[in-house]
Structures are given as C-alpha cells and as structure tokens.
Amino acid sequence: MLVESIVFALVGLAAAAAALFGLPSYFRASRSTVAGTALAAALLGGAVAHFCLDGRYPVIAVACSALAAGVITSLLARPDLAAGRAPAHRHHPHRAGAHRAPRRHRPA
C-alpha cells in the first residue's frame, strides 16, 4: 500500500499541475489550495478504490485516484471569473429583444 500511496500522491500533484498550468485563469484560489485539494482527493480516491477492489487491481485504483483528483479539483474552477470573459448572467438588458414591451392578454 505504501508504493500505491506514493503513486496516488504523484497522480494528485500531476492533476494539480495540469489544472494550474493548463487553465491558470480558471483557478482563482491559491496554488497551495488547488494542489492540496488535488492531493487529498487523489489519496482518498485511491485508498477507497484500493479497499473496494481488495488490492487486486492496482491499475484501476490509480485510475480511480486520477478520476477523483480531476473531479474534485474541477470544483475549484471559476470560468466565470476568468480573464477576458464576461459573466454569463441570465438577464442582459443589452441583448436583442430584452427591451420589448410585455405581452398583454386579450379578454375572452
């Protein structure tokens, strides 16, 4: 389990590096927060997979570790705050048709 734990930790750090260097504007949290979240998610996901599979399939446990790290780290992403992107709000007064008069119902 020690060797697998080291592999899980490396997978978590690789997921953090991919997130931080691949899409740096999406992650407004500090680098240590993103790295710690990915590391903890990889270790926890790998440990759960290891014990669920009874240690028989270490490759699947590493894959589950990578999946857990990717999913949990993606929760920290904020694409709405990324540089160069406008916030995607539901109601925009400048959109076409937003200034139309409301429809009136006809009496029956």
Side-chain angles (χ1 to χ4, degrees):
M1 178 74 183
L2 178 66
V3 174
E4 284 182 348
S5 297
I6 293 170
V7 172
F8 298 154
L10 291 175
V11 165
L13 293 175
L20 289 172
F21 294 120
L23 297 168
S25 62
Y26 279 30
F27 293 94
R28 295 291 179 163
S30 66
R31 290 178 185 245
S32 61
T33 302
V34 175
T37 301
L39 183 63
L43 287 171
L44 185 63
V48 168
H50 173 79
F51 288 116
C52 287
L53 298 172
D54 201 25
R56 293 183 184 159
Y57 304 104
V59 175
I60 296 176
V62 171
C64 290
S65 171
L67 181 69
V71 168
I72 300 299
T73 304
S74 72
L75 294 177
L76 296 175
R78 296 292 309 267
D80 57 333
L81 298 179
R85 300 187 112 204
H89 294 292
R90 189 170 184 177
H91 302 286
H92 287 285
H94 64 275
R95 285 191 180 166
H99 57 280
R100 281 192 235 157
R103 292 185 182 182
R104 300 186 186 231
H105 297 288
R106 293 186 207 174

